[in-house]
Amino acid sequence: MRIYCLILACLISFYSQAQRVFHIQRTQNPPKIDGLINEADWYLKNPADSFVNVSPNFGKPASKRTRVWMMYDDEALYVAAKMEDDPQKIRKQLTARDNEQRQDVDFFSVLLDTYNDNQNAFQFTVTSRNVQSDVRISLSNQRDYGWDAVWESQVRFVEEGWQVEIKIPYISLRFSKEALQQWGVNFNRFSRKNNESAYWNPIDPNVAGFVNQFGNLDGIQNIKPPLRLSFLPYVSSGYRSAPENGSRNNEWLRSGGMDVKWGVNESFTLDATLVPDFGQVISDNTILNLSPYEVRFQENRPFFTEGTELFNKAGLFYSRRIGLTPQGYYAVKQTAALDDNIEVIKNPGVTQLINAVKFSGRNKNNLGIGVFNAISSSMNALIRNKQTGVTEKIQTAPLTNYNVFVLDQALKGRSSITFTNTSVLRDGLSPDANVSAFDFALYDNKNMYALTGTMRYSHISGDEKQDGYNSLLSVKKVSGKFQFDVNQNIESQFYNPNDLGYLQAPNEFTSSANFAYKQLTPTKNFLTYSYSVGINNSYLYTPFKWSELKLSASAFYFFKNFWDLTLVYESKPMWQNDYFELRTPGKMVRMMPWYYVGFNGSSDSRKRLFVGLDAGYANTRAFSNSAFIRGEFNLRYRFSDGLSFSIEAGGSLDNGNVGYAFMRESNGDPIIGRRNVRERTTVLSGNINFTPRIFMTLRARHYWSKVNYEKYFLVDDRGNWVDRTYIEGNDNNYNAYNLDIFFTWDFMYGSRFILGWKNWLPQDISFDGNRYQGYLKNMQQSLIQPQGRELTARLIYFLDYRKIRRIVKFKKA
């Protein structure tokens, strides 16, 4: 037994340290992409073989054999793979594009590090149902699923299992103009029946990084980066009807525009969108926000999610700033609400984007360059005085220019240095903004320790000129079972990146440390498990005053039946000094100590029925009956390989919530209140996949929050609460409802037709909280209220300049 264990340990060590080499061959006879793998050229070189299990049993040979062949010519890279298995046990769920993760389907991936910088890569994945997924991978294994390339694939089922052929045109890659190419490469096979992920070149979970653990691709010579020029013109039409001021505002929607992709040279690409229309995106998860901080919403617009990893590296680019609701929109609505003589004729709720451009890439010296520019138009509202008949145009947003500039130098190993600049330029007297940042990440030769940090400077011009800075320094142990990070962050009083970035609050001095133990290989009882503890101590930076201490701990267990469980503990054990809750500079309120315990877990996602549960309990010793209870469950049932539905339902009850309520009209002093806050959310989602290229998604969401104030307090100069008389009329009963249905047909590579239907409850519609007190009654009222409705159709067509040119030459001949 000891000898066996020693041999196994040696094998694991060999697999995790040796870097394999794949020798590729040039072909004069490009294969037909039909999944048959019957061309003789495939078999002129030995295949990639002997895959290694990475999860759930790292270091062991893969349970089923996988063989991969590669060829190339002047136009494309070709990949063929044979996955041996019992055909009856291969999982074959139909999914939407870029959605193979956690689905009941097997898949195969080829991964290419075309600059061999150990940090960036392209991933092309094909499921057993020939559904494609493409991803751009950057440092720390960050994945950009918004990136969509044009490539071909075909799958076949055979007696020995399943097999796939792939064609990746060079127009879908970026690489330097060198006679001899040196690329990194890896292959991944995922078998859903046993959740086995096997790689050709092993990915050691105890080693930091992902791309740095690829093998080498040897033999690509004398290929030229092609002219990468493509056009994606679109036309869209639709009809929108929305309730407004007791009637309905109906309008026909007509739009047309174009996306352009131009490979300026072998390394850099220009992406432009002209007259974009982002109507067909999933609705935001709006909530009743009682905190002093802005809610950060997810970006769902394709242009701002695809190929933006370079612009997002410094964390200064929050793309939702572009095309947001005009700043003066709500002021116009409030003016009309306060004056019955004012009628709003037009008040656009979304800023029109004129165009946006991205220029990005990486040269042969591993210098990444990114330039982003977007221009939004001036927006105007039109109001009319009912008595005089006079109309007035009010500017709600100026003409605005948004810019991001990035230089990112990849160094040896996983190290890098990055310079980022963002600027927002506004027409007229509106203030402009500029932020510059220098970031670095330095890793030792063994990829065991890292020193990371940033230095940032912000400047806002105008009548209220402001300058600020931010610095962060971190020391980390990033590999091995025991890992840690120690961090020091400083944000000056007037540091403000929020014209194009996102920061909840500046003026903080924060020290933090986190320690973790990670067992990432199987033990007797677990596939993996980990423990972590953290401490965070914060001060107000100017003037330097203590703010809060936060402690945290967690434990994660991944069981051998593929169930998982996470235990969480958080605490602020001392009275905190909150300098932001009162929304008044220079004012502080003392907030209660509290603790929270919770857990979340889920069942085996391979099963038809999948269940997840998340729950927690919190309390404070400040006063009695102050418990906070939350719970959420999600249930997904897969009816067939093409049909699945899920429901997420959750809520919370907070009996001890204390926070800002309103300002005193007499002197502007902030008033806080103790309140009971109830929240409920239900989300119903469905996926219907008719073919690998035709699918429909459905998502309905209802959110309810009810706030009842029990008591109000003044706040003295030391932040203490002082009893005051109760004031009626501040309770809140808030509902949000959205329904999004999209039918998508990818009728040709790169081209698609989308039919969309949206329903929503206008945000200015509210219900009597005393009359409708329960969640179900509020949901019912939300559904029967006048709804906004929108039906849209969009056609997007992919045009490749090279193919157009070949067709024109052929017709002339």
Side-chain angles (χ1 to χ4, degrees):
M1 178 60 73
R2 291 181 178 177
I3 294 176
Y4 171 78
C5 293
L6 180 61
I7 294 174
L8 180 60
C10 291
L11 286 172
I12 292 175
S13 176
F14 171 78
Y15 282 135
S16 61
Q17 295 178 14
Q19 191 174 40
R20 297 180 173 184
V21 178
F22 186 94
H23 301 282
I24 194 172
Q25 62 173 0
R26 176 182 281 274
T27 182
Q28 302 299 325
N29 304 298
K32 181 180 179 181
I33 305 303
D34 53 15
L36 294 176
I37 318 183
N38 55 0
E39 290 84 1
D41 280 12
W42 284 122
Y43 304 101
L44 296 178
K45 291 276 189 177
N46 292 328
D49 204 343
S50 303
F51 279 50
V52 177
N53 191 323
V54 170
S55 174
N57 297 300
F58 172 70
K60 294 184 177 180
S63 60
K64 299 292 183 180
R65 188 182 186 189
T66 302
R67 289 171 292 166
V68 184
W69 294 264
M70 296 182 74
M71 300 187 295
Y72 75 99
D73 59 15
D74 290 334
E75 180 184 357
L77 196 71
Y78 305 93
V79 183
K82 291 186 176 183
M83 280 67 65
E84 295 183 6
D85 206 343
D86 182 348
Q88 301 301 318
K89 295 182 179 180
I90 298 171
R91 303 297 177 92
K92 309 180 182 73
Q93 182 184 355
L94 275 169
T95 67
R97 185 186 177 102
D98 295 330
N99 193 32
E100 79 284 355
Q101 300 295 326
R102 296 185 69 85
Q103 303 297 325
D104 194 44
V105 65
D106 290 11
F107 58 81
F108 169 80
S109 301
V110 55
L111 304 102
L112 300 168
D113 175 7
T114 54
Y115 289 98
N116 206 28
D117 63 5
N118 295 321
Q119 299 182 22
N120 302 276
F122 301 92
Q123 177 173 320
F124 300 88
T125 298
V126 183
T127 75
S128 56
R129 295 299 295 268
N130 198 35
V131 177
Q132 295 181 348
S133 174
D134 33 31
V135 185
R136 291 190 65 174
I137 303 171
S138 54
L139 189 64
S140 300
N141 200 19
Q142 297 179 16
R143 292 170 178 260
D144 176 14
Y145 281 93
W147 177 71
D148 285 329
V150 178
W151 48 291
E152 298 179 39
S153 64
Q154 191 55 255
V155 167
R156 295 276 181 171
F157 291 96
V158 294
E159 291 184 3
E160 297 81 15
W162 67 286
Q163 53 194 42
V164 60
E165 285 183 309
I166 300 171
K167 177 183 178 181
I168 306 173
Y170 296 140
I171 61 168
S172 297
L173 298 172
R174 297 181 186 179
F175 52 90
S176 60
K177 192 175 182 180
E178 300 286 346
L180 179 62
Q181 297 288 326
Q182 297 289 335
W183 294 1
V185 68
N186 214 344
F187 310 106
N188 172 227
R189 176 188 177 177
F190 180 76
S191 300
R192 185 57 165 162
K193 69 175 183 293
N194 54 3
N195 274 343
E196 181 182 276
S197 182
Y199 283 82
W200 171 64
N201 203 81
I203 305 296
D204 188 342
N206 292 302
V207 175
F210 178 69
V211 180
N212 53 303
Q213 300 190 64
F214 284 10
N216 290 322
L217 181 61
D218 179 63
I220 298 181
Q221 301 181 49
N222 301 320
I223 61 172
K224 296 180 180 180
L227 173 63
R228 294 178 286 119
L229 179 59
S230 62
F231 307 91
L232 277 170
Y234 83 88
V235 292
S236 67
S237 182
Y239 183 77
R240 178 190 294 137
S241 177
E244 187 173 313
N245 299 325
S247 61
R248 296 196 72 86
N249 180 21
N250 303 317
E251 60 177 319
W252 286 99
L253 307 173
R254 296 175 296 274
S255 183
M258 181 184 293
D259 288 354
V260 179
K261 291 181 181 291
W262 174 35
V264 179
N265 59 25
E266 69 272 13
S267 301
F268 295 95
T269 300
L270 179 73
D271 294 295
T273 180
L274 310 176
V275 196
D277 176 13
F278 299 118
Q280 290 184 330
V281 294
I282 295 174
S283 302
D284 288 328
N285 292 335
T286 56
I287 62 171
L288 177 62
N289 183 20
L290 298 176
S291 79
Y293 310 116
E294 174 191 10
V295 176
R296 178 166 185 157
F297 291 111
Q298 178 178 318
E299 179 61 85
N300 295 312
R301 298 171 295 179
F303 184 82
F304 295 106
T305 61
E306 176 185 342
T308 57
E309 70 283 348
L310 195 58
F311 303 104
N312 289 323
K313 187 169 184 179
L316 293 175
F317 181 42
Y318 177 41
S319 57
R320 290 295 298 266
R321 300 288 184 210
I322 303 170
L324 77 172
T325 301
Q327 292 179 344
Y329 170 80
Y330 294 104
V332 171
K333 293 192 68 173
Q334 186 176 15
T335 299
L338 296 175
D339 189 345
D340 293 336
N341 291 323
I342 298 298
E343 176 189 9
V344 178
I345 299 174
K346 182 180 72 171
N347 187 20
V350 178
T351 302
Q352 176 62 50
L353 190 61
I354 299 173
N355 59 55
V357 178
K358 294 178 294 189
F359 173 87
S360 62
R362 192 170 294 273
N363 65 20
K364 63 181 179 180
N365 296 318
N366 286 332
L367 175 64
I369 302 174
V371 179
F372 173 91
N373 175 265
I375 301 175
S376 63
S377 65
S378 171
M379 303 303 295
N380 298 282
L382 192 64
I383 63 175
R384 184 176 71 88
N385 188 301
K386 296 178 183 179
Q387 289 185 339
T388 64
V390 176
T391 60
E392 180 183 0
K393 184 169 71 172
I394 301 174
Q395 186 182 75
T396 56
L399 177 70
T400 307
N401 190 309
Y402 301 89
N403 301 279
V404 184
F405 174 69
V406 182
L407 294 174
D408 177 55
Q409 180 63 62
L411 305 175
K412 183 179 179 181
R414 301 178 62 218
S415 300
S416 65
I417 55 174
T418 307
F419 171 79
T420 305
N421 177 267
T422 68
S423 63
V424 179
L425 307 175
R426 297 181 175 92
D427 187 31
L429 299 178
S430 300
D432 300 331
N434 189 288
V435 181
S436 294
F438 174 75
D439 294 83
F440 62 90
L442 306 175
Y443 293 80
D444 70 330
N445 291 333
K446 295 183 179 180
N447 194 29
M448 185 67 66
Y449 296 93
L451 178 68
T452 66
T454 185
M455 292 174 285
R456 301 174 182 181
Y457 182 81
S458 68
H459 172 75
I460 296 178
S461 64
D463 294 337
E464 298 183 2
K465 179 181 176 181
Q466 289 184 347
D467 293 271
Y469 56 88
N470 165 230
S471 65
L472 170 66
L473 185 65
S474 300
V475 178
K476 306 176 182 180
K477 183 177 184 292
V478 296
S479 294
K481 291 185 176 183
F482 175 69
Q483 300 180 18
F484 65 82
D485 60 83
V486 180
N487 316 284
Q488 180 62 61
N489 183 57
I490 299 174
E491 296 161 0
S492 72
Q493 183 176 4
F494 298 113
Y495 173 66
N496 185 359
N498 281 342
D499 285 80
L500 195 49
Y502 178 88
L503 178 69
Q504 285 192 339
N507 201 19
E508 292 182 306
F509 181 94
T510 304
S511 305
S512 63
N514 300 282
F515 304 89
Y517 178 83
K518 301 180 179 182
Q519 177 62 45
L520 300 176
T521 54
T523 63
K524 180 180 179 181
N525 298 315
F526 305 105
L527 292 173
T528 64
Y529 64 86
S530 62
Y531 303 103
S532 65
V533 294
I535 182 171
N536 187 300
N537 191 40
S538 297
Y539 292 80
L540 189 72
Y541 186 58
T542 304
F544 196 74
K545 295 182 179 180
W546 183 80
S547 177
E548 67 176 32
L549 173 68
K550 183 178 180 180
L551 307 176
S552 63
S554 66
F556 170 75
Y557 304 97
F558 192 22
F559 300 95
K560 291 200 169 183
N561 62 354
F562 295 105
W563 288 49
D564 66 85
L565 174 66
T566 301
L567 305 176
V568 177
Y569 170 82
E570 294 180 355
S571 174
K572 293 185 179 180
M574 305 165 63
W575 279 85
Q576 310 122 52
N577 299 326
D578 194 324
Y579 296 92
F580 305 105
E581 179 63 37
L582 297 181
R583 282 78 158 171
T584 306
K587 293 282 287 185
M588 178 271 290
V589 60
R590 301 189 71 209
M591 301 298 283
M592 307 165 293
W594 54 262
Y595 69 89
Y596 171 85
V597 291
F599 75 92
N600 64 77
S602 62
S603 64
D604 185 351
S605 60
R606 296 174 302 172
K607 307 298 184 182
R608 285 185 178 272
L609 178 64
F610 169 77
V611 179
L613 185 63
D614 188 351
Y617 172 85
N619 212 328
T620 177
R621 299 185 299 273
F623 38 74
S624 61
N625 191 27
S626 59
F628 168 83
I629 302 172
R630 61 174 296 275
E632 177 182 328
F633 83 91
N634 63 80
L635 184 151
R636 183 221 65 205
Y637 190 78
R638 189 174 57 253
F639 293 90
S640 67
D641 285 341
L643 176 63
S644 64
F645 279 92
S646 65
I647 182 171
E648 300 175 26
S652 63
L653 174 62
D654 190 353
N655 289 319
N657 191 287
V658 175
Y660 170 86
F662 59 90
M663 292 283 186
R664 294 179 67 182
E665 293 184 1
S666 59
N667 58 13
D669 283 344
I671 304 299
I672 64 171
R674 178 185 174 181
R675 55 209 177 192
N676 293 326
V677 181
R678 285 182 286 171
E679 288 186 316
R680 302 286 188 277
T681 306
T682 302
V683 179
L684 177 65
S685 304
N687 295 281
I688 306 173
N689 296 274
F690 304 99
T691 73
R693 301 289 184 266
I694 302 176
F695 57 91
M696 183 167 69
T697 61
L698 173 150
R699 186 178 189 270
R701 175 182 181 267
H702 177 255
Y703 167 85
W704 171 64
S705 180
K706 185 175 178 61
V707 181
N708 294 109
Y709 282 89
E710 292 187 349
K711 198 171 184 179
Y712 293 102
F713 305 90
L714 299 172
V715 181
D716 67 18
D717 292 338
R718 295 185 178 182
N720 298 309
W721 311 351
V722 180
D723 288 348
R724 63 152 294 154
T725 56
Y726 187 84
I727 299 178
E728 299 283 352
N730 291 294
D731 293 347
N732 204 328
N733 190 67
Y734 177 83
N735 286 266
Y737 167 72
N738 294 92
L739 171 65
D740 302 313
I741 302 175
F742 297 107
F743 172 85
T744 303
W745 175 28
D746 292 331
F747 60 89
M748 192 174 69
Y749 288 110
S751 303
R752 61 174 36 179
F753 171 77
I754 307 173
L755 185 66
W757 171 262
K758 304 186 79 169
N759 263 39
W760 67 92
L761 177 71
Q763 292 189 14
D764 55 1
I765 293 181
S766 60
F767 318 137
D768 184 350
N770 294 320
R771 183 178 179 185
Y772 305 107
Q773 294 192 6
Y775 175 63
L776 293 179
K777 289 184 178 180
N778 276 267
M779 176 186 284
Q780 183 183 27
Q781 286 299 309
S782 298
L783 296 175
I784 66 176
Q785 293 293 321
Q787 302 278 318
R789 304 184 186 94
E790 181 179 287
L791 176 66
T792 56
R794 174 182 293 203
L795 178 67
I796 306 168
Y797 198 83
F798 175 77
L799 297 172
D800 182 0
Y801 171 76
R802 297 180 309 139
K803 289 186 177 181
I804 296 174
R805 187 173 62 178
R806 283 199 296 263
I807 292 173
V808 171
K809 287 183 177 180
F810 176 78
K811 289 186 176 181
K812 286 183 178 180

